[in-house]
Amino acid sequence: MPKMQSVVTSALGEPWEVRTVEAPEAGPGEVLVKVHASGICGTDVWITEGKLSFGVEFPMTLGHEGVGEVVAVGEGVTSRAVGDRVGLVTLQTGCGRCAWCRRGEALDFVTAASCERPVLTGMNVAGANGEYVATRAEATVILPEGLSYEHAAPLMCVGYTAWSGLRRARPKPGERVAVSGIGGMGHLALQYAKAAGFTTIAVTGSPDKRDLARTLGADLVVSNGAELREAGGADVLMHTNSSNRAVADAFQGVAPRGRVVLMGIAFDEFAVPNMPMLMNSIQILGSAHNGTEYLTQALQIAAEGKVTPMVEIYGQDRAAEAYQRVADGKARFRAVITHA
Ligand SMILES: [Zn+2]
Ligand SMILES: [Zn+2]
């Protein structure tokens, strides 16, 4: 059997390490992708630390922000060809048989969360942190021309989430969009909102991110919800950071009939004030990967140069260091592992 180098999470809470493992093959309906870049997501940290599990069994090759080149196609594959530049969609398929799957719903993250046995690349089957990964052909998207692998990788999860979240709020022309939390997701949400033509406001408690937020397209930068309210408020609040307490604060700046989109996974208590919410008819929306159409749109907007992920690039041999940067919240803003 051919071998490959893979970044493996050996056990719960253990650092990532490079191991020699068996290379996958393209089974029927699958493509074999030579991975060029793989982004590290906050979810990877939570899986490694045991805060989240999608049925993971260690040792595990994580990585759900994979992009690369198709090097082999399995039996029956007609939609992809050797040489295609592709990105990997996290949800490969639902089980097809459980009560949820029988409804015939879309392959988005609601299905990932609701199906009894979803197949999730880099979460419960081997992901893109190895040199090669096999996935179902229909769980790939063709990357637009002009978008580098290093920039495409973070868009496969966090960029996809950012654009999905904006669309979920259905902003109307002339509305104001605030992004709270300027990190891996927030720095992209800000750029997407600006690229879509909205007045954008960054909400960040980090003084060192104020200038950067302006560079990324923020028309206005405020420190908290009270300042947001004083500045005229926001019709849409995209909450991207991992603190529910911060939602309650930013909530003060949501305009009447505004929409709050929860996009960052958080584990602290979620408490929003009841009266301002019901009196002002404010909606709170959950949002993640809302359908592949939003992923391809997110990629296209970036290919046109309107959105550019800020990435730190690490060779495979430095994956453990890259992981630590993400776990410590120090990456600016997305760590990407590349395979030679
Ligand atoms: Zn992710
Ligand atoms: Zn199912």
Side-chain angles (χ1 to χ4, degrees):
M1 291 291 282
K3 305 279 184 192
M4 68 170 185
Q5 298 295 104
S6 184
V7 178
V8 174
T9 310
S10 56
L12 198 64
E14 290 297 310
W16 292 8
E17 60 183 39
V18 178
R19 284 189 188 177
T20 302
V21 301
E22 269 183 23
E25 289 178 356
E30 292 184 338
V31 290
L32 181 67
V33 176
K34 177 172 178 12
V35 179
H36 282 259
S38 173
I40 303 177
C41 183
T43 307
D44 294 324
V45 176
W46 295 317
I47 292 173
T48 301
E49 291 177 349
K51 283 186 185 165
L52 275 181
S53 170
F54 295 91
V56 65
E57 283 181 29
F58 297 106
M60 176 70 180
T61 298
L62 296 171
H64 59 272
E65 289 190 340
V67 291
E69 185 184 344
V70 173
V71 291
V73 297
E75 197 186 323
V77 172
T78 55
S79 62
R80 299 289 178 268
V82 170
D84 282 347
R85 281 167 23 100
V86 296
L88 276 63
V89 179
T90 306
L91 176 64
Q92 289 193 37
T93 179
C95 73
R97 301 190 61 82
C98 72
W100 179 261
C101 285
R102 287 186 203 189
R103 292 167 51 145
E105 299 263 353
L107 288 177
D108 57 13
F109 224 85
V110 179
T111 291
S114 307
C115 169
E116 286 176 11
R117 286 185 299 111
V119 179
L120 298 160
T121 301
M123 292 183 180
N124 60 23
V125 296
N129 287 350
E131 287 177 279
Y132 295 91
V133 60
T135 186
R136 293 169 67 92
E138 63 264 36
T140 62
V141 292
I142 294 178
L143 298 179
E145 280 179 29
L147 184 62
S148 72
Y149 285 125
E150 289 80 3
H151 284 157
L155 302 181
M156 297 309 301
C157 176
V158 80
Y160 179 7
T161 305
W163 179 246
S164 286
L166 180 65
R167 296 294 306 274
R168 178 97 171 87
R170 299 179 186 274
K172 300 181 195 79
E175 287 196 325
R176 289 153 61 98
V177 177
V179 176
S180 95
I182 305 304
M185 195 189 303
H187 92 285
L188 291 170
L190 204 55
Q191 292 184 66
Y192 277 115
K194 189 67 186 173
F198 297 103
T199 299
T200 61
I201 308 164
V203 185
T204 176
S206 309
D208 59 313
K209 289 181 179 169
R210 295 182 72 92
D211 288 343
L212 178 68
R214 285 192 183 279
T215 312
L216 293 169
D219 297 293
L220 207 63
V221 183
V222 299
S223 308
N224 51 45
E227 284 186 24
L228 178 58
R229 188 179 59 220
E230 281 164 31
D235 302 290
V236 173
L237 173 69
M238 300 170 79
H239 189 70
T240 70
N241 79 21
S242 303
S243 160
N244 282 327
R245 224 170 60 158
V247 182
D249 178 76
F251 195 87
Q252 300 173 63
V254 178
R257 297 201 178 85
R259 286 82 74 204
V260 178
V261 191
L262 297 182
M263 301 153 67
I265 295 172
F267 298 97
D268 59 330
E269 191 192 351
F270 180 68
V272 291
N274 168 300
M275 281 284 281
M277 182 170 162
L278 66 90
M279 303 254 318
N280 291 297
S281 198
I282 289 168
Q283 287 178 286
I284 296 178
L285 306 164
S287 185
H289 294 181
N290 295 348
T292 318
E293 65 190 285
Y294 300 111
L295 169 59
T296 54
Q297 289 163 7
L299 291 165
Q300 185 58 39
I301 293 165
E304 289 166 9
K306 296 172 187 163
V307 167
T308 306
M310 291 175 66
V311 294
E312 296 178 359
I313 296 168
Y314 296 84
Q316 191 188 52
D317 54 327
R318 292 175 65 205
E321 181 189 342
Y323 172 83
Q324 206 52 52
R325 291 273 296 170
V326 177
D328 294 344
K330 288 183 179 159
R332 291 289 178 271
F333 278 103
R334 210 64 172 172
V336 173
I337 301 170
T338 58
H339 304 271

PDB file of all heavy atoms in Angstrom, residues 263-288:
ATOM      1  N   MET A 263     -22.781  33.118  14.725  1.00  0.00           N
ATOM      2  CA  MET A 263     -21.928  32.375  13.804  1.00  0.00           C
ATOM      3  C   MET A 263     -20.712  31.754  14.473  1.00  0.00           C
ATOM      4  O   MET A 263     -20.085  30.855  13.921  1.00  0.00           O
ATOM      5  CB  MET A 263     -21.458  33.325  12.697  1.00  0.00           C
ATOM      6  CG  MET A 263     -22.636  33.926  11.929  1.00  0.00           C
ATOM      7  SD  MET A 263     -22.223  35.519  11.218  1.00  0.00           S
ATOM      8  CE  MET A 263     -21.008  35.006  10.022  1.00  0.00           C
ATOM      9  N   GLY A 264     -20.346  32.263  15.652  1.00  0.00           N
ATOM     10  CA  GLY A 264     -19.171  31.717  16.346  1.00  0.00           C
ATOM     11  C   GLY A 264     -19.639  30.749  17.426  1.00  0.00           C
ATOM     12  O   GLY A 264     -20.531  31.072  18.201  1.00  0.00           O
ATOM     13  N   ILE A 265     -19.066  29.569  17.451  1.00  0.00           N
ATOM     14  CA  ILE A 265     -19.454  28.584  18.473  1.00  0.00           C
ATOM     15  C   ILE A 265     -18.946  29.065  19.827  1.00  0.00           C
ATOM     16  O   ILE A 265     -17.783  29.439  19.976  1.00  0.00           O
ATOM     17  CB  ILE A 265     -18.863  27.199  18.140  1.00  0.00           C
ATOM     18  CG1 ILE A 265     -19.481  26.670  16.838  1.00  0.00           C
ATOM     19  CG2 ILE A 265     -19.099  26.213  19.287  1.00  0.00           C
ATOM     20  CD1 ILE A 265     -18.845  25.404  16.315  1.00  0.00           C
ATOM     21  N   ALA A 266     -19.851  29.082  20.805  1.00  0.00           N
ATOM     22  CA  ALA A 266     -19.480  29.539  22.145  1.00  0.00           C
ATOM     23  C   ALA A 266     -20.084  28.599  23.178  1.00  0.00           C
ATOM     24  O   ALA A 266     -21.113  27.964  22.930  1.00  0.00           O
ATOM     25  CB  ALA A 266     -19.971  30.967  22.364  1.00  0.00           C
ATOM     26  N   PHE A 267     -19.451  28.518  24.315  1.00  0.00           N
ATOM     27  CA  PHE A 267     -19.886  27.552  25.326  1.00  0.00           C
ATOM     28  C   PHE A 267     -20.405  28.221  26.597  1.00  0.00           C
ATOM     29  O   PHE A 267     -20.919  27.551  27.479  1.00  0.00           O
ATOM     30  CB  PHE A 267     -18.730  26.600  25.666  1.00  0.00           C
ATOM     31  CG  PHE A 267     -18.280  25.788  24.483  1.00  0.00           C
ATOM     32  CD1 PHE A 267     -17.174  26.181  23.722  1.00  0.00           C
ATOM     33  CD2 PHE A 267     -18.970  24.648  24.091  1.00  0.00           C
ATOM     34  CE1 PHE A 267     -16.774  25.441  22.613  1.00  0.00           C
ATOM     35  CE2 PHE A 267     -18.575  23.906  22.990  1.00  0.00           C
ATOM     36  CZ  PHE A 267     -17.467  24.301  22.251  1.00  0.00           C
ATOM     37  N   ASP A 268     -20.257  29.549  26.711  1.00  0.00           N
ATOM     38  CA  ASP A 268     -20.755  30.212  27.920  1.00  0.00           C
ATOM     39  C   ASP A 268     -22.264  30.452  27.805  1.00  0.00           C
ATOM     40  O   ASP A 268     -22.870  30.248  26.746  1.00  0.00           O
ATOM     41  CB  ASP A 268     -19.979  31.517  28.195  1.00  0.00           C
ATOM     42  CG  ASP A 268     -20.079  32.519  27.053  1.00  0.00           C
ATOM     43  OD1 ASP A 268     -20.215  32.090  25.893  1.00  0.00           O
ATOM     44  OD2 ASP A 268     -20.033  33.735  27.319  1.00  0.00           O
ATOM     45  N   GLU A 269     -22.856  30.881  28.889  1.00  0.00           N
ATOM     46  CA  GLU A 269     -24.307  31.032  28.933  1.00  0.00           C
ATOM     47  C   GLU A 269     -24.773  32.077  27.917  1.00  0.00           C
ATOM     48  O   GLU A 269     -24.128  33.104  27.723  1.00  0.00           O
ATOM     49  CB  GLU A 269     -24.740  31.453  30.344  1.00  0.00           C
ATOM     50  CG  GLU A 269     -26.251  31.357  30.524  1.00  0.00           C
ATOM     51  CD  GLU A 269     -26.730  32.038  31.808  1.00  0.00           C
ATOM     52  OE1 GLU A 269     -25.871  32.420  32.628  1.00  0.00           O
ATOM     53  OE2 GLU A 269     -27.946  32.200  31.959  1.00  0.00           O
ATOM     54  N   PHE A 270     -25.907  31.793  27.277  1.00  0.00           N
ATOM     55  CA  PHE A 270     -26.448  32.710  26.289  1.00  0.00           C
ATOM     56  C   PHE A 270     -27.629  33.435  26.917  1.00  0.00           C
ATOM     57  O   PHE A 270     -28.666  32.838  27.174  1.00  0.00           O
ATOM     58  CB  PHE A 270     -26.892  31.927  25.054  1.00  0.00           C
ATOM     59  CG  PHE A 270     -27.470  32.781  23.979  1.00  0.00           C
ATOM     60  CD1 PHE A 270     -26.662  33.667  23.282  1.00  0.00           C
ATOM     61  CD2 PHE A 270     -28.807  32.715  23.661  1.00  0.00           C
ATOM     62  CE1 PHE A 270     -27.193  34.468  22.279  1.00  0.00           C
ATOM     63  CE2 PHE A 270     -29.350  33.516  22.662  1.00  0.00           C
ATOM     64  CZ  PHE A 270     -28.531  34.386  21.976  1.00  0.00           C
ATOM     65  N   ALA A 271     -27.460  34.698  27.194  1.00  0.00           N
ATOM     66  CA  ALA A 271     -28.532  35.456  27.834  1.00  0.00           C
ATOM     67  C   ALA A 271     -28.680  36.796  27.137  1.00  0.00           C
ATOM     68  O   ALA A 271     -27.754  37.605  27.116  1.00  0.00           O
ATOM     69  CB  ALA A 271     -28.206  35.669  29.311  1.00  0.00           C
ATOM     70  N   VAL A 272     -29.832  37.011  26.527  1.00  0.00           N
ATOM     71  CA  VAL A 272     -30.088  38.322  25.927  1.00  0.00           C
ATOM     72  C   VAL A 272     -31.290  38.940  26.630  1.00  0.00           C
ATOM     73  O   VAL A 272     -32.183  38.228  27.095  1.00  0.00           O
ATOM     74  CB  VAL A 272     -30.362  38.250  24.405  1.00  0.00           C
ATOM     75  CG1 VAL A 272     -29.132  37.872  23.642  1.00  0.00           C
ATOM     76  CG2 VAL A 272     -31.504  37.319  24.100  1.00  0.00           C
ATOM     77  N   PRO A 273     -31.312  40.257  26.722  1.00  0.00           N
ATOM     78  CA  PRO A 273     -32.414  40.906  27.426  1.00  0.00           C
ATOM     79  C   PRO A 273     -33.723  40.728  26.665  1.00  0.00           C
ATOM     80  O   PRO A 273     -33.779  40.924  25.457  1.00  0.00           O
ATOM     81  CB  PRO A 273     -31.985  42.373  27.473  1.00  0.00           C
ATOM     82  CG  PRO A 273     -30.955  42.525  26.405  1.00  0.00           C
ATOM     83  CD  PRO A 273     -30.315  41.193  26.200  1.00  0.00           C
ATOM     84  N   ASN A 274     -34.746  40.343  27.385  1.00  0.00           N
ATOM     85  CA  ASN A 274     -36.036  40.014  26.797  1.00  0.00           C
ATOM     86  C   ASN A 274     -36.782  41.239  26.254  1.00  0.00           C
ATOM     87  O   ASN A 274     -37.216  41.259  25.101  1.00  0.00           O
ATOM     88  CB  ASN A 274     -36.837  39.293  27.905  1.00  0.00           C
ATOM     89  CG  ASN A 274     -38.302  39.133  27.592  1.00  0.00           C
ATOM     90  OD1 ASN A 274     -39.013  40.111  27.406  1.00  0.00           O
ATOM     91  ND2 ASN A 274     -38.745  37.900  27.535  1.00  0.00           N
ATOM     92  N   MET A 275     -36.886  42.284  27.073  1.00  0.00           N
ATOM     93  CA  MET A 275     -37.713  43.441  26.692  1.00  0.00           C
ATOM     94  C   MET A 275     -37.260  44.146  25.421  1.00  0.00           C
ATOM     95  O   MET A 275     -38.064  44.351  24.506  1.00  0.00           O
ATOM     96  CB  MET A 275     -37.796  44.429  27.858  1.00  0.00           C
ATOM     97  CG  MET A 275     -38.793  44.010  28.925  1.00  0.00           C
ATOM     98  SD  MET A 275     -40.502  44.320  28.406  1.00  0.00           S
ATOM     99  CE  MET A 275     -40.623  46.073  28.695  1.00  0.00           C
ATOM    100  N   PRO A 276     -35.983  44.535  25.331  1.00  0.00           N
ATOM    101  CA  PRO A 276     -35.573  45.218  24.089  1.00  0.00           C
ATOM    102  C   PRO A 276     -35.779  44.339  22.865  1.00  0.00           C
ATOM    103  O   PRO A 276     -36.097  44.831  21.789  1.00  0.00           O
ATOM    104  CB  PRO A 276     -34.075  45.490  24.296  1.00  0.00           C
ATOM    105  CG  PRO A 276     -33.801  45.267  25.726  1.00  0.00           C
ATOM    106  CD  PRO A 276     -34.884  44.389  26.273  1.00  0.00           C
ATOM    107  N   MET A 277     -35.655  43.037  23.064  1.00  0.00           N
ATOM    108  CA  MET A 277     -35.793  42.132  21.927  1.00  0.00           C
ATOM    109  C   MET A 277     -37.246  42.076  21.442  1.00  0.00           C
ATOM    110  O   MET A 277     -37.521  42.248  20.252  1.00  0.00           O
ATOM    111  CB  MET A 277     -35.320  40.731  22.315  1.00  0.00           C
ATOM    112  CG  MET A 277     -35.393  39.779  21.164  1.00  0.00           C
ATOM    113  SD  MET A 277     -34.583  38.234  21.505  1.00  0.00           S
ATOM    114  CE  MET A 277     -35.337  37.252  20.233  1.00  0.00           C
ATOM    115  N   LEU A 278     -38.177  41.855  22.354  1.00  0.00           N
ATOM    116  CA  LEU A 278     -39.568  41.710  21.890  1.00  0.00           C
ATOM    117  C   LEU A 278     -40.185  43.054  21.510  1.00  0.00           C
ATOM    118  O   LEU A 278     -40.930  43.141  20.535  1.00  0.00           O
ATOM    119  CB  LEU A 278     -40.408  40.945  22.920  1.00  0.00           C
ATOM    120  CG  LEU A 278     -40.683  41.540  24.293  1.00  0.00           C
ATOM    121  CD1 LEU A 278     -41.965  42.354  24.264  1.00  0.00           C
ATOM    122  CD2 LEU A 278     -40.806  40.418  25.308  1.00  0.00           C
ATOM    123  N   MET A 279     -39.847  44.105  22.241  1.00  0.00           N
ATOM    124  CA  MET A 279     -40.439  45.409  21.903  1.00  0.00           C
ATOM    125  C   MET A 279     -39.962  45.899  20.540  1.00  0.00           C
ATOM    126  O   MET A 279     -40.683  46.574  19.824  1.00  0.00           O
ATOM    127  CB  MET A 279     -40.072  46.445  22.962  1.00  0.00           C
ATOM    128  CG  MET A 279     -40.497  46.025  24.346  1.00  0.00           C
ATOM    129  SD  MET A 279     -41.905  46.842  25.072  1.00  0.00           S
ATOM    130  CE  MET A 279     -41.776  48.533  24.716  1.00  0.00           C
ATOM    131  N   ASN A 280     -38.714  45.573  20.206  1.00  0.00           N
ATOM    132  CA  ASN A 280     -38.145  46.058  18.941  1.00  0.00           C
ATOM    133  C   ASN A 280     -38.185  45.012  17.828  1.00  0.00           C
ATOM    134  O   ASN A 280     -37.590  45.205  16.767  1.00  0.00           O
ATOM    135  CB  ASN A 280     -36.703  46.526  19.161  1.00  0.00           C
ATOM    136  CG  ASN A 280     -36.653  47.772  20.001  1.00  0.00           C
ATOM    137  OD1 ASN A 280     -37.170  48.807  19.602  1.00  0.00           O
ATOM    138  ND2 ASN A 280     -36.056  47.671  21.175  1.00  0.00           N
ATOM    139  N   SER A 281     -38.836  43.885  18.116  1.00  0.00           N
ATOM    140  CA  SER A 281     -39.026  42.854  17.097  1.00  0.00           C
ATOM    141  C   SER A 281     -37.705  42.407  16.483  1.00  0.00           C
ATOM    142  O   SER A 281     -37.545  42.328  15.261  1.00  0.00           O
ATOM    143  CB  SER A 281     -39.978  43.380  16.015  1.00  0.00           C
ATOM    144  OG  SER A 281     -40.503  42.320  15.261  1.00  0.00           O
ATOM    145  N   ILE A 282     -36.756  42.126  17.354  1.00  0.00           N
ATOM    146  CA  ILE A 282     -35.431  41.717  16.873  1.00  0.00           C
ATOM    147  C   ILE A 282     -35.384  40.195  16.729  1.00  0.00           C
ATOM    148  O   ILE A 282     -35.965  39.469  17.523  1.00  0.00           O
ATOM    149  CB  ILE A 282     -34.351  42.225  17.860  1.00  0.00           C
ATOM    150  CG1 ILE A 282     -34.242  43.750  17.731  1.00  0.00           C
ATOM    151  CG2 ILE A 282     -33.001  41.562  17.602  1.00  0.00           C
ATOM    152  CD1 ILE A 282     -33.452  44.417  18.809  1.00  0.00           C
ATOM    153  N   GLN A 283     -34.719  39.747  15.687  1.00  0.00           N
ATOM    154  CA  GLN A 283     -34.588  38.304  15.446  1.00  0.00           C
ATOM    155  C   GLN A 283     -33.183  37.840  15.779  1.00  0.00           C
ATOM    156  O   GLN A 283     -32.207  38.531  15.477  1.00  0.00           O
ATOM    157  CB  GLN A 283     -34.819  37.998  13.967  1.00  0.00           C
ATOM    158  CG  GLN A 283     -36.253  38.116  13.514  1.00  0.00           C
ATOM    159  CD  GLN A 283     -36.336  37.828  12.026  1.00  0.00           C
ATOM    160  OE1 GLN A 283     -35.944  38.642  11.213  1.00  0.00           O
ATOM    161  NE2 GLN A 283     -36.820  36.659  11.673  1.00  0.00           N
ATOM    162  N   ILE A 284     -33.098  36.647  16.339  1.00  0.00           N
ATOM    163  CA  ILE A 284     -31.796  36.010  16.536  1.00  0.00           C
ATOM    164  C   ILE A 284     -31.763  34.769  15.656  1.00  0.00           C
ATOM    165  O   ILE A 284     -32.649  33.920  15.732  1.00  0.00           O
ATOM    166  CB  ILE A 284     -31.568  35.637  18.008  1.00  0.00           C
ATOM    167  CG1 ILE A 284     -31.525  36.922  18.853  1.00  0.00           C
ATOM    168  CG2 ILE A 284     -30.273  34.859  18.188  1.00  0.00           C
ATOM    169  CD1 ILE A 284     -31.343  36.690  20.332  1.00  0.00           C
ATOM    170  N   LEU A 285     -30.757  34.691  14.814  1.00  0.00           N
ATOM    171  CA  LEU A 285     -30.668  33.613  13.828  1.00  0.00           C
ATOM    172  C   LEU A 285     -29.394  32.808  14.040  1.00  0.00           C
ATOM    173  O   LEU A 285     -28.322  33.374  14.234  1.00  0.00           O
ATOM    174  CB  LEU A 285     -30.628  34.209  12.411  1.00  0.00           C
ATOM    175  CG  LEU A 285     -31.750  35.176  12.037  1.00  0.00           C
ATOM    176  CD1 LEU A 285     -31.373  35.971  10.805  1.00  0.00           C
ATOM    177  CD2 LEU A 285     -33.036  34.409  11.813  1.00  0.00           C
ATOM    178  N   GLY A 286     -29.529  31.501  13.996  1.00  0.00           N
ATOM    179  CA  GLY A 286     -28.342  30.652  13.977  1.00  0.00           C
ATOM    180  C   GLY A 286     -27.908  30.455  12.539  1.00  0.00           C
ATOM    181  O   GLY A 286     -28.729  30.477  11.629  1.00  0.00           O
ATOM    182  N   SER A 287     -26.605  30.265  12.341  1.00  0.00           N
ATOM    183  CA  SER A 287     -26.119  30.132  10.973  1.00  0.00           C
ATOM    184  C   SER A 287     -24.770  29.427  10.938  1.00  0.00           C
ATOM    185  O   SER A 287     -23.922  29.678  11.779  1.00  0.00           O
ATOM    186  CB  SER A 287     -26.004  31.520  10.340  1.00  0.00           C
ATOM    187  OG  SER A 287     -25.640  31.432   8.990  1.00  0.00           O
ATOM    188  N   ALA A 288     -24.606  28.537   9.960  1.00  0.00           N
ATOM    189  CA  ALA A 288     -23.298  27.873   9.793  1.00  0.00           C
ATOM    190  C   ALA A 288     -23.025  27.729   8.292  1.00  0.00           C
ATOM    191  O   ALA A 288     -22.962  28.727   7.596  1.00  0.00           O
ATOM    192  CB  ALA A 288     -23.300  26.528  10.514  1.00  0.00           C
TER     193      ALA A 288
END
